[in-house]
Amino acid sequence: MQWPDTFCFQGREIPYCRIHYNNPSERAVEVSLGFDFLINLKNKNNILEIGNVLSHYENLLSESLGIKPRTIIDKYEQEQGVKNIDLMTLSLEHKFSSIVSISTIEHIGQGMNPTLDYGETNDVRDLELPLKAIVKIYNLLEPNGQALLTIPSGKLMDLEWFIQASPEYLERLFSHYQIPRDAIEINFVKKKFMEFFNSSASHLPHQLWIQESDPTNLSYLEYNYPWPNANAIAVLKISKVTSDIQLDNDATPNSSLAYHSPQVEPISFDSQQIPILIETINKLREINLACFLDWHQEEQELYTILKDILQQILQHPDREKIALIFTLSNFDTDTASSLLSNTIFNICMEIDIETSTFPEIILLEPINHRHWFVVLNYLQYYIPLERENNLETEQEIKKILKPCNLLALKDRDTVQLETKE
């Protein structure tokens, strides 16, 4: 695979961070976003960084760009030039023209991290203190000041030492904490693929991140699943457009949001599974559909179902841009492959189809169910059938994908040239 050197954010190509420090993670994109924000500031004289992160990645270039002489606060990390101050106790008398914070806000008010290096020691936590911290940041800005924050995002999760924010969680900034909607621009960046860990890539694996325009596509992403660390981040760009907002730090939030706990471990691969997964991904196209057919039926019934599906795909005007995945579950691969081949052959005998515009038909052999969530990043639709596999994983996938029935395929109204990117 040819790994790109840049990722696209808001129409601009930004280099991945490849500095060897705490970087088999979301640091690959969020550090770059942080520096990009600082470099493009018009006023670099009064900058606050919350959480001592960027100093681990900068060099003499920062001096020439004017972004190194900034105020850095971090409640726990003791480093030269870092002030050990709690953001929530910082005085509002001194305002800042710009504020940047990289994966720090989610920890505010939460418990100790697994290595017991930082975090609150008391048992009482405010799960919405990260939201209150964002309000505090808004209040710390000068009029027309700007801030950039990155926060792990996806499924709303209480991981005890930090909160993974969901789009619904961030929505409370407007609905509950009364920040004006035009004051915050929220974008999401999602990890789509990464280099499989090996001895040479364990510290700096190549990664592939995309900007996600549809927040609903983040709903299944847990922290550490399917990839290690955060699988998506929210990027908040804040502009000070009003006076300070009244914030009661002691108020108990009345939130009906459901916080999830980690359910699964990070995805892992062995030498036999990797080629299957990569081969499948390499075959995918612009429009990718899944079909969870129950193969345990009479051969004539299977033939009828396959013909109905394949005939619509083969006659679709954009068929050369379509890939259709048939999944297998405890069914003989050779038998299924023979059925598919015979059905396609018979259709082609009845209909004249230009082979240069042939769709990609994929028979996906059984793989670890967690690997599905890697393939899922590339899919848009599934074809509902009367008889389908009822595996739990496939049921979860169908909740995320858009249904595309055969009638819609025939009418050519549903499958459009859109992708998850």
Side-chain angles (χ1 to χ4, degrees):
M1 179 173 178
Q2 295 297 316
W3 295 96
D5 295 325
T6 62
F7 63 98
C8 185
F9 183 75
Q10 293 187 304
R12 296 173 54 237
E13 294 295 326
I14 299 177
Y16 283 103
C17 173
R18 297 286 294 159
I19 297 173
H20 185 181
Y21 180 82
N22 190 27
N23 198 21
S25 66
E26 60 273 20
R27 291 286 193 267
V29 290
E30 60 185 357
V31 168
S32 300
L33 290 168
F35 279 123
D36 181 74
F37 169 73
L38 293 176
I39 289 169
N40 288 287
L41 289 174
K42 294 181 179 179
N43 180 5
K44 300 183 176 70
N45 297 322
N46 189 17
I47 302 172
L48 170 67
E49 181 178 359
I50 301 167
N52 182 34
V53 174
L54 295 179
S55 66
H56 296 291
Y57 300 87
E58 63 189 336
N59 51 31
L60 293 177
L61 181 63
S62 298
E63 292 280 11
S64 63
L65 293 172
I67 63 175
K68 195 162 188 176
R70 60 186 184 274
T71 301
I72 303 176
I73 65 170
D74 191 304
K75 187 174 181 180
Y76 300 104
E77 190 168 330
Q78 297 185 1
E79 295 282 350
Q80 184 177 0
V82 177
K83 299 179 180 180
N84 297 129
I85 300 174
D86 186 340
L87 167 68
M88 303 310 291
T89 64
L90 198 62
S91 172
L92 292 176
E93 293 183 3
H94 179 72
K95 304 289 188 180
F96 296 89
S97 62
S98 307
I99 299 175
V100 64
S101 183
I102 303 300
S103 279
T104 297
I105 302 305
E106 67 272 14
H107 297 286
I108 293 179
Q110 309 311 309
M112 297 291 288
N113 75 329
T115 59
L116 304 180
D117 294 327
Y118 63 85
E120 304 297 338
T121 56
N122 58 61
D123 295 330
V124 179
R125 293 189 298 125
D126 181 348
L127 299 183
E128 291 198 4
L129 201 55
L131 296 176
K132 297 175 183 178
I134 296 173
V135 177
K136 182 65 178 279
I137 290 170
Y138 183 83
N139 290 341
L140 283 167
L141 285 171
E142 297 175 349
N144 300 315
Q146 292 187 318
L148 182 112
L149 319 176
T150 66
I151 304 171
S153 189
K155 182 185 293 186
L156 180 58
M157 301 186 71
D158 174 11
L159 291 108
E160 298 185 353
W161 58 292
F162 72 93
I163 300 297
Q164 175 168 285
S166 66
E168 294 78 14
Y169 181 81
L170 296 174
E171 174 67 22
R172 287 184 62 77
L173 290 168
F174 312 114
S175 63
H176 184 77
Y177 294 99
Q178 305 305 310
I179 294 184
R181 287 191 178 273
D182 60 349
I184 303 184
E185 179 184 355
I186 303 178
N187 289 284
F188 298 95
V189 186
K190 181 174 72 172
K191 184 185 295 188
K192 190 171 184 180
F193 206 62
M194 74 180 295
E195 193 171 19
F196 301 107
F197 283 115
N198 56 57
S199 57
S200 62
S202 59
H203 297 296
L204 278 175
H206 288 96
Q207 301 185 48
L208 182 62
W209 290 72
I210 62 168
Q211 185 169 351
E212 178 56 75
S213 59
D214 185 354
T216 61
N217 292 330
L218 307 175
S219 61
Y220 68 96
L221 297 176
E222 295 189 6
Y223 189 83
N224 268 339
Y225 183 81
W227 304 109
N229 305 112
N231 282 257
I233 60 171
V235 183
L236 282 67
K237 187 173 182 181
I238 304 174
S239 301
K240 186 69 170 288
V241 297
T242 63
S243 57
D244 289 358
I245 295 172
Q246 186 65 34
L247 178 62
D248 184 359
N249 288 333
D250 298 324
T252 302
N254 182 22
S255 175
S256 59
L257 296 176
Y259 293 79
H260 300 272
S261 299
Q263 300 295 321
V264 292
E265 295 297 324
I267 199 165
S268 60
F269 301 89
D270 60 36
S271 58
Q272 294 181 334
Q273 296 165 333
I274 291 175
I276 296 174
L277 188 62
I278 293 180
E279 182 182 5
T280 301
I281 291 173
N282 286 339
K283 289 180 178 179
L284 297 178
R285 300 189 179 179
E286 291 182 56
I287 305 171
N288 299 306
L289 305 93
C291 186
F292 306 108
L293 174 64
D294 179 5
W295 292 87
H296 297 89
Q297 304 181 52
E298 295 294 332
E299 185 172 324
Q300 185 58 45
E301 293 176 347
L302 282 172
Y303 176 78
T304 302
I305 296 171
L306 289 172
K307 185 176 181 181
D308 287 344
I309 297 171
L310 293 169
Q311 199 159 3
Q312 304 306 329
I313 297 292
L314 292 169
Q315 291 181 292
H316 197 279
D318 295 316
R319 57 184 172 271
E320 75 278 6
K321 299 174 182 178
I322 294 177
L324 174 61
I325 294 179
F326 287 94
T327 64
L328 283 173
S329 176
N330 299 319
F331 191 78
D332 181 66
T333 304
D334 292 337
T335 302
S337 180
S338 178
L339 280 168
L340 274 174
S341 299
N342 291 337
T343 307
I344 293 172
F345 176 79
N346 290 337
I347 294 173
C348 291
M349 291 294 290
E350 298 173 7
I351 305 171
D352 184 20
I353 299 175
E354 176 58 52
T355 56
S356 63
T357 61
F358 215 73
E360 185 72 52
I361 309 298
I362 302 170
L363 188 62
L364 186 60
E365 298 182 31
I367 57 175
N368 186 310
H369 75 279
R370 295 179 183 177
H371 300 173
W372 254 115
F373 289 93
V374 178
V375 179
L376 179 62
N377 282 307
Y378 299 83
L379 302 181
Q380 295 93 34
Y381 306 95
Y382 78 95
I383 299 176
L385 301 171
E386 289 187 10
R387 290 189 58 176
E388 297 178 322
N389 289 327
N390 291 316
L391 296 180
E392 182 179 351
T393 300
E394 295 178 356
Q395 296 301 318
E396 293 178 16
I397 291 172
K398 285 193 291 186
K399 294 177 182 178
I400 299 168
L401 298 177
K402 301 172 184 176
C404 174
N405 59 42
L406 291 177
L407 180 60
L409 272 176
K410 183 177 180 180
D411 293 340
R412 302 167 185 174
D413 291 332
T414 297
V415 179
Q416 304 296 327
L417 289 182
E418 61 176 276
T419 70
K420 285 183 163 308
E421 302 161 14

